[in-house]
Amino acid sequence: MRKLVLAAALTLPMLAAPALAQDTLKIGYIDPLSGGGASVGEIGLKTFQLLADEVNAKGGIQGQKLEIVPLDNKTNPQESLIQLQKAIDSGIRYVTQGNGSAVAAALSDAVAKHNSRNPGKEVLFFNYAAVDPILTNEKCNYWHFRWDANSDIKMQALTSYMKDKKDIKKVYLINQDYSFGQSVRTQARKMLGEKRSDVEIVGDELHPLLKITDFAPYIAKIKASGADTVITGNWGQDFALLLKAAADAGLKVNWFTYYAGGTGGPTAIKQTGLDHQVFQVSEGVANGGAPGAIEVEKVLRAKYDISNFYPRAFNQIRMLVAAADKAKSTDPVKVAAALEGLEFDVLNGGKGFMRKDDHQFFQPIYISSFGSLADKSMFDDEHTGWGWKVEAKVDTPDTMVDTTCKMKRP
Amino acid sequence: MLELIVISTLNGVLFGMLLFLLSSGLTIIFSMLGVLNFAHASFYMLGAFFGFQLTRWIGFWPALIIAPLLVGAIGMAVERYGLRNTHKHGHVAELLLTFGLAYIIEEIVQLIWGKGPMDYRVPAILDFPAFTIFSTNYPAYKMFMLLISVAIFIGLLVVLKRTRVGLIVQAALTHPHMVGHLGHNVGQVFMLVFGVGTALAAIAGVIAGPALVTQSDMAMLLGPILFVVVVVGGLGSLSGAFIASLLIGLVQTFAVSMNGSLASLFGPLDPSIGPSLLTDVWNVTIAQIAPIIPYLLLVLILIVRPMGLMGTRET
C-alpha cells in the first residue's frame, strides 16, 4: 500500500503536466548543440531564449507563456526527425530550425506528412536560416515558413554589389558539399556570368561539411590559382577555420560571404588583417543604425556576451506574436493563415512581408564589410576592435525573385 | 604548380607528423596489450583541453609539460584499475571498455567546457611567419609543431632501441609471457606504456589545439584515421607508424589539391544521357573524395598485405 501511494505521488504530477502545458506555448528548437555545428547552434538558442524572455515580459502570446525547448540534432537529418517526433510526442506544435538545408528539407517533409495524417494536431515549421532555394520552390510546403532570405536572393544582392567593383578579375568559389553549398556555387557562376562576363572563375571547390580541421591545403590551392576574390557560403567552424588558415598563410584576397559574422569568424578575419575586405550579405547589422537593432544588440551583449547574428529570429518570433494576435489564437492552423501575406516592420528598419505564394519572407538586404571602426560608439565583434559597416542596401522590392512553388493549401 | 607541390608537401608532412604523435602511442599500446584503444583520440582531446585550461592559468610552456603528465596519469589509472581487471575477460571486454571510455570522456569534456570551440591561441612568442615561400607565409608555430614531432620520434626510437627499458618493452611486444617468466613486472611495464602512450597523445593535443580546433568533437574527427595509420603501418612497428603517418598526411593533402576527375581524363559524358548516378561519379573530383582516400588505403592494405607495411606478425 505504501508503495502504491509512493508510486502515485511520483506519477500523478507527471500526469498533471499536460494540463499545465495549456498555459505555455512551446517551440522546439531543433539545431546542433553538439558536434561541428554546436558553436552556431548555441548562439541561436541563446537568441531564441532572449526572445522568449522578451515575449513573456510583455505578457506572453495570447496569455500563454513562451518556452524554447532545445533539441540537439547534431546537424543530422536523421537525428532531426527523431527529435521532431520527440517534440510532437510531448505536445509541441511549433518547431524552428536553421542550420543545414538538408535538415530543413527533411523536417519540412516530415511536418507535411504529419499534418496530413493528423488533422487537428498540425505542426508549424519556422525556418530561420536554412537558405536552399528549393525549400520555397520545388519542395515548398504550406506548413513551412522561411524568415531568412534564400540563397538566390543573397547571391543576387552580392553579385549586384560586385558588378561595380572593377578590381575583381579572378574569382574562386569554395563551398560546403551539400545542397546549400552546391546552390551557392551554381548561382554564383550563373549570376556572375550574367553581370560580369569578364570575370574568370579560377576555382570551384566543394569540401565536406563541418569535417575539416585544417584548411591549409585548400588555402594553398586558392593561392596557386591566382584568385583576387573568394566567394563562400561557409558557415560555423567551416568559415572560421577557413579564414584562420588564410591568416596563417597570409592570403590577401577579397572575401564575399554569407556568414562571416558567425562565431569565430570576426576573430579569424582580424587575424588575416583584411580591413574592410571581407563582405557579408545579411538582413542587417546593428551598426546600420536602426534603433530597434541597437537596443537588442545591447541586451544580447550584456546578457550573453554575443552579438546579434540572427535579426531574422527577432522578426520570426515577433511576427508569430503578431499573427497570433491577428488570429486571436495560438492554434497553428489559424496562425499559419494569419502569417500569409503579413506585413511587418523588421528589426533593422524598413518593411518586410511573408509572401503568400511560397512562404518566403522578403525584407531589405544589406551588404556590410568587416574592419576598423570610424566611429567609436559603434559595436565591435568578439572584442577585436573591428566591426561591421554597411556598404550597400537593397530594398525589399528589389530583392524579389520568382518562385516555382505551387502551394497545396489544406 | 611547383608552388602548390612545395606547399602541399609542407602541409602534408606537418599533418603526417601530427598523426604520428598520436599513432605512435596507439600502436605501442595495441601491440603490447592487444587492445585497440578506442579512447586514444579522446586522450588527445583531453590533452588539448588541459593545455587550453593550463595555458589560461599558468601559460603555454608549463602547460606543454603538465598537461601530458596529467593525461598520462589518467591513462595509467585507466590501465591499472580498468583494463587490468577486464583483461581476464578477453580482448572484447577491453575493447568495449575503451569504447565506452571514449564516450564518457567526450561527455565530461562537454560538461566542463561546453560544446563550442575554445579560444585557444598560439603563444605570442611563436605567432609570426617563420618564412615566406612563393609569397605564402609559413607560420612559426607550425614549424614548432614539426620540430616537436621529429624530436619525439627520435627520442622514442632511441629509448626503444638503445636503452634497457626499450629492450624490455620490445621483448614484451613479441613475447610477453617470456618477459614475465624472466622476472620483469609485465603489469608495471604495461601500465607505464599505456601512460606514455596517452601522454604522447596529449602532447599532440596541446600543440595541435591552437593550430587546428579545440572542440568537444575533435576526438571523433581524428579518431578513425588513427586506426588507418596503425593498420597500414603494421602492428607494433614504430617506423611503420611513422611511414604510414607521413603517407596518409601527404596523400590527403595532395588529393585536396588535385582537380582531376574521370571527366577530365576521358572527356565529358554525352549530354544526351542526362543527369544520373553515372554523371555524378564521372564528374566528382579527386579533391572531393580526398577524405575517404585513407580508408580506401586501409581496405587495400588489409586485402593485399594484412600485416601492414612494416608489420611482422598478423593479429
Side-chain angles (χ1 to χ4, degrees), chain B residues 14 29 49 54 56 60 64 71 122 127-128 138 153 155 171 198 205 250 271 287 311-312:
Chain B
L14 186 75
I29 291 170
F49 276 89
L54 290 168
R56 276 276 161 94
F60 179 78
L64 185 59
V71 174
V122 169
D127 197 8
F128 63 93
Y138 212 75
F153 174 57
T198 49
L250 286 170
T312 44

Side-chain angles (χ1 to χ4, degrees), chain A residues 206-405:
Chain A
L206 289 175
H207 65 77
L209 173 66
L210 298 175
K211 290 247 182 327
I212 312 268
T213 48
D214 186 7
F215 275 96
Y218 293 93
I219 294 296
K221 211 170 161 185
I222 295 177
K223 193 134 199 173
S225 75
D228 53 47
T229 301
V230 179
I231 299 181
T232 178
N234 280 17
W235 51 270
Q237 68 174 34
D238 279 344
F239 180 79
L241 295 177
L242 180 65
L243 266 278
K244 192 171 167 180
D248 281 348
L251 178 70
K252 302 281 179 218
V253 293
N254 296 309
W255 292 85
F256 285 88
T257 77
Y258 280 41
Y259 301 114
T263 319
T267 307
I269 298 172
K270 180 74 192 287
Q271 283 172 4
T272 62
L274 296 170
D275 196 0
H276 289 293
Q277 276 183 273
V278 180
F279 300 86
Q280 174 183 256
V281 58
S282 70
E283 72 278 25
V285 290
N287 286 344
I294 290 175
E295 193 187 315
V296 299
E297 187 75 33
K298 282 182 181 156
V299 177
L300 264 175
R301 278 163 191 258
K303 193 157 182 194
Y304 296 118
D305 195 25
I306 54 173
S307 41
N308 186 8
F309 188 54
Y310 294 116
R312 45 196 180 267
F314 285 83
N315 297 335
Q316 173 181 316
I317 296 296
R318 288 173 179 180
M319 272 179 83
L320 167 65
V321 176
D325 286 348
K326 189 173 147 195
K328 296 197 173 52
S329 162
T330 58
D331 179 52
V333 180
K334 289 177 184 155
V335 168
L339 272 174
E340 286 202 311
L342 188 65
E343 277 198 24
F344 190 76
D345 292 317
V346 295
L347 183 74
N348 291 91
K351 282 226 180 292
F353 78 102
M354 180 60 73
R355 185 159 73 180
K356 199 175 171 182
D357 308 335
D358 56 353
H359 293 185
Q360 166 71 50
F361 189 64
F362 288 91
Q363 58 203 320
I365 295 291
Y366 297 83
I367 312 279
S368 33
S369 65
F370 192 73
S372 50
L373 292 166
D375 184 352
K376 290 279 171 254
S377 70
M378 284 177 147
F379 296 104
D380 72 332
D381 271 320
E382 297 185 349
H383 313 287
T384 55
W386 282 13
W388 293 101
K389 183 178 97 188
V390 171
E391 297 280 351
K393 177 184 178 183
V394 187
D395 232 328
T396 313
D398 301 322
T399 66
M400 305 288 286
V401 290
D402 293 335
T403 176
T404 58
C405 173

Side-chain angles (χ1 to χ4, degrees), chain A residues 28-299:
Chain A
Y29 175 82
I30 305 180
D31 255 325
L33 296 169
S34 63
S39 58
V40 280
E42 295 266 9
I43 301 277
L45 179 60
K46 283 173 182 161
T47 310
F48 276 102
Q49 274 163 346
L50 183 95
L51 274 157
D53 293 344
E54 176 194 289
V55 169
N56 293 334
K58 286 181 187 163
I61 301 182
Q62 290 291 305
Q64 289 186 324
K65 204 167 149 280
L66 183 62
E67 187 192 333
I68 307 294
V69 182
L71 298 160
D72 180 14
N73 73 355
K74 306 181 175 76
T75 337
N76 176 335
Q78 219 56 46
E79 187 69 28
S80 303
L81 297 183
I82 297 171
Q83 297 299 336
L84 174 70
Q85 198 53 51
K86 215 166 113 187
I88 292 173
D89 290 344
S90 63
I92 292 174
R93 307 282 297 276
Y94 291 88
V95 292
T96 191
Q97 178 269 347
N99 296 303
S101 288
V103 174
L107 280 179
S108 181
D109 272 354
V111 164
K113 266 186 205 138
H114 168 85
N115 290 356
S116 68
R117 289 169 190 164
N118 299 280
K121 286 187 182 162
E122 286 83 354
V123 172
L124 288 191
F125 170 30
F126 289 174
N127 166 2
Y128 70 94
V131 296
D132 188 345
I134 205 166
L135 294 165
T136 47
N137 284 286
E138 293 93 317
K139 286 192 174 178
C140 73
N141 128 37
Y142 180 79
W143 309 104
H144 162 264
F145 291 85
R146 167 156 61 196
W147 269 269
D148 198 2
N150 76 36
S151 167
D152 288 359
I153 303 173
K154 291 189 182 192
M155 188 52 80
Q156 191 74 267
L158 262 188
T159 46
S160 298
Y161 179 72
M162 291 170 78
K163 188 174 68 182
D164 304 323
K165 294 211 126 196
K166 293 294 171 216
D167 54 329
I168 299 177
K169 291 191 174 68
K170 289 180 172 178
V171 173
Y172 198 101
L173 310 173
I174 179 163
N175 289 293
Q176 295 153 321
D177 197 358
Y178 78 115
S179 58
F180 160 66
Q182 283 157 6
S183 98
V184 170
R185 99 201 265 217
T186 359
Q187 287 303 322
R189 273 181 177 280
K190 184 173 151 245
M191 292 178 179
L192 262 185
E194 284 164 4
K195 289 169 188 159
R196 282 286 300 274
S197 51
D198 60 314
V199 164
E200 189 191 345
I201 308 260
V202 290
D204 187 349
E205 195 81 53
L206 289 175
H207 65 77
L209 173 66
L210 298 175
K211 290 247 182 327
I212 312 268
T213 48
D214 186 7
F215 275 96
Y218 293 93
I219 294 296
K221 211 170 161 185
I222 295 177
K223 193 134 199 173
S225 75
D228 53 47
T229 301
V230 179
I231 299 181
T232 178
N234 280 17
W235 51 270
Q237 68 174 34
D238 279 344
F239 180 79
L241 295 177
L242 180 65
L243 266 278
K244 192 171 167 180
D248 281 348
L251 178 70
K252 302 281 179 218
V253 293
N254 296 309
W255 292 85
F256 285 88
T257 77
Y258 280 41
Y259 301 114
T263 319
T267 307
I269 298 172
K270 180 74 192 287
Q271 283 172 4
T272 62
L274 296 170
D275 196 0
H276 289 293
Q277 276 183 273
V278 180
F279 300 86
Q280 174 183 256
V281 58
S282 70
E283 72 278 25
V285 290
N287 286 344
I294 290 175
E295 193 187 315
V296 299
E297 187 75 33
K298 282 182 181 156
V299 177

